[in-house]
Amino acid sequence: MLAGNLWYFTQPIEFSARAINHTFYLQAFAGAFFPWSVVAAGRGVDVIRRLRSGGSLSSGEALLWLWILVVVGFFSIARFKLDHYIFPAAPACCLIAAHAWRESACDTDGRLWGTRYSVLGIAGLLIIGGSFGGVYLSKIDLALPATALVLPLALFAGGVGLMFQAERRHWGVPVGTGVLVTTLLVCYATVVVVGFPALEQARPMARVARILARSTPTAAPVALYRLERWRGSLRYYLNRPVKRLEAIDEARAFLQQPEQVYVVMLRRDYVELRNQHIPVYLMTAHRAVVGTTGRGLRKQRWSFLVVVTNAPRRGSKRFY
């Protein structure tokens, strides 16, 4: 309770040396809640202008803004941050966006220009995102099927459709959100049907955990060698402790135990251990993305994620 609550906010150096990024949740809010975060930001501009001119804000909307500020502000204070911590603010963000959209669609004198420009900005972002997204998907070498192009095409078509609706209303906010909602639904469906399988192929830790759980005793020691950033994922899917190994001496000591142990590592590290005459035998190998190359539109670097053990198995062989 001490580490998970008090230290979470008082941030002693013994608990975490992680650098604090106080704008992390502003970025997460803008990206995770898009496009409604943009509409809410436009509404915020209109609200500030209204309050400065002596206007008032309804108690309901004031409570929604307070809801967002408390959630985002509370977790921004903490040192350790994960984007989904602020997801409880999503309902308030969407309600504010819906209220702002409806009011701006009925605005005839141009007072709510903050919301209007935010909607036009969404259309522009969708067009730009769709245009560059198609190029990006073909450059990153993620082994995606051709159906992945549905995502940038949907973004581009949605942006053009929203811009066309706004132009018909003299660059005002459209009455309905059908074009935007349809765009989002197509994008979400593409992510589920195409993106999730591609992610599991590029980062096959869930599949590796299933194999380990099925083919090893529950109490068998499991470790990750030089793959610390994947330890949380393996521990989650395997549902057992996972030891961290970084140095070759640590790997040697772990693999020389009298009991049978299992280690997940990259192929290059497996080859290195074999060359050091450390007892290591291949169980399975899975093609995976192990890094990126270049800057900007970075290309994926593929290799093999292997599961090894310290006891020879029937049919075990070297893997180079």
Side-chain angles (χ1 to χ4, degrees):
M1 291 188 62
L2 178 65
N5 293 277
L6 179 61
W7 285 5
Y8 188 71
F9 290 95
T10 56
Q11 306 167 0
I13 195 65
E14 303 85 21
F15 179 57
S16 174
R18 184 188 298 267
I20 303 175
N21 180 6
H22 291 298
T23 64
F24 176 84
Y25 284 122
L26 294 179
Q27 302 170 39
F29 180 86
F33 299 168
F34 180 87
W36 316 121
S37 57
V38 179
V39 180
R43 177 64 177 182
V45 172
D46 292 332
V47 166
I48 292 173
R49 292 177 57 247
R50 178 186 297 179
L51 295 177
R52 292 183 63 180
S53 62
S56 60
L57 196 64
S58 68
S59 58
E61 186 173 358
L63 287 173
L64 291 175
W65 282 111
L66 184 62
W67 180 349
I68 294 175
L69 293 174
V70 167
V71 172
V72 176
F74 180 78
F75 288 107
S76 294
I77 298 173
R79 178 183 293 272
F80 186 77
K81 296 174 171 63
L82 292 174
D83 52 2
H84 60 264
Y85 284 178
I86 65 164
F87 285 3
C93 173
C94 292
L95 288 171
I96 287 175
H99 176 62
W101 192 293
R102 184 177 61 180
E103 274 205 353
S104 185
C106 299
D107 181 34
T108 56
D109 53 10
R111 293 179 298 105
L112 303 177
W113 54 262
T115 303
R116 176 161 56 90
Y117 287 150
S118 70
V119 173
L120 294 175
I122 290 170
L125 288 172
L126 290 176
I127 293 173
I128 295 172
S131 302
F132 284 93
V135 177
Y136 186 74
L137 290 179
S138 65
K139 297 290 186 181
I140 59 176
D141 189 24
L142 202 50
L144 293 171
T147 50
L149 290 175
V150 171
L151 179 62
L153 289 175
L155 292 174
F156 183 83
V160 171
L162 186 58
M163 193 73 75
F164 178 73
Q165 283 188 314
E167 190 275 334
R168 292 187 61 183
R169 290 180 57 85
H170 306 288
W171 302 108
V173 175
V175 175
T177 60
V179 169
L180 192 53
V181 171
T182 302
T183 300
L184 293 176
L185 289 175
V186 173
C187 291
Y188 296 158
T190 306
V191 169
V192 172
V193 175
V194 180
F196 287 175
L199 178 62
E200 187 164 348
Q201 180 182 5
R203 297 294 178 92
M205 196 55 73
R207 187 162 68 251
V208 169
R210 287 195 296 267
I211 293 173
L212 281 170
R214 186 173 60 248
S215 59
T216 66
T218 305
V222 177
L224 274 175
Y225 181 50
R226 294 176 177 172
L227 290 174
E228 172 61 18
R229 63 195 180 101
W230 287 6
R231 186 158 66 104
S233 177
L234 179 60
R235 185 174 55 196
Y236 173 80
Y237 289 113
L238 188 59
N239 195 26
R240 70 173 78 166
V242 177
K243 186 175 178 60
R244 171 187 179 184
L245 305 174
E246 291 295 333
I248 193 169
D249 290 337
E250 294 176 335
R252 178 183 289 107
F254 185 79
L255 288 162
Q256 288 179 345
Q257 296 181 76
E259 61 182 321
Q260 188 165 7
V261 300
Y262 304 88
V263 186
V264 182
M265 62 182 67
L266 297 181
R267 178 175 63 175
R268 66 169 182 263
D269 296 320
Y270 162 74
V271 173
E272 181 185 14
L273 294 180
R274 293 289 306 219
N275 292 336
Q276 293 286 332
H277 305 291
I278 296 174
V280 56
Y281 303 92
L282 179 69
M283 286 183 58
T284 63
H286 307 269
R287 192 166 183 260
V289 172
V290 299
T292 57
T293 58
R295 295 182 177 180
L297 298 179
R298 293 179 292 180
K299 193 174 183 179
Q300 311 303 303
R301 183 160 49 86
W302 290 84
S303 184
F304 283 88
L305 196 68
V306 301
V307 180
V308 302
T309 183
N310 60 342
R313 297 160 55 94
R314 181 177 299 178
S316 293
K317 59 183 179 180
R318 298 190 178 204
F319 181 56
Y320 289 96

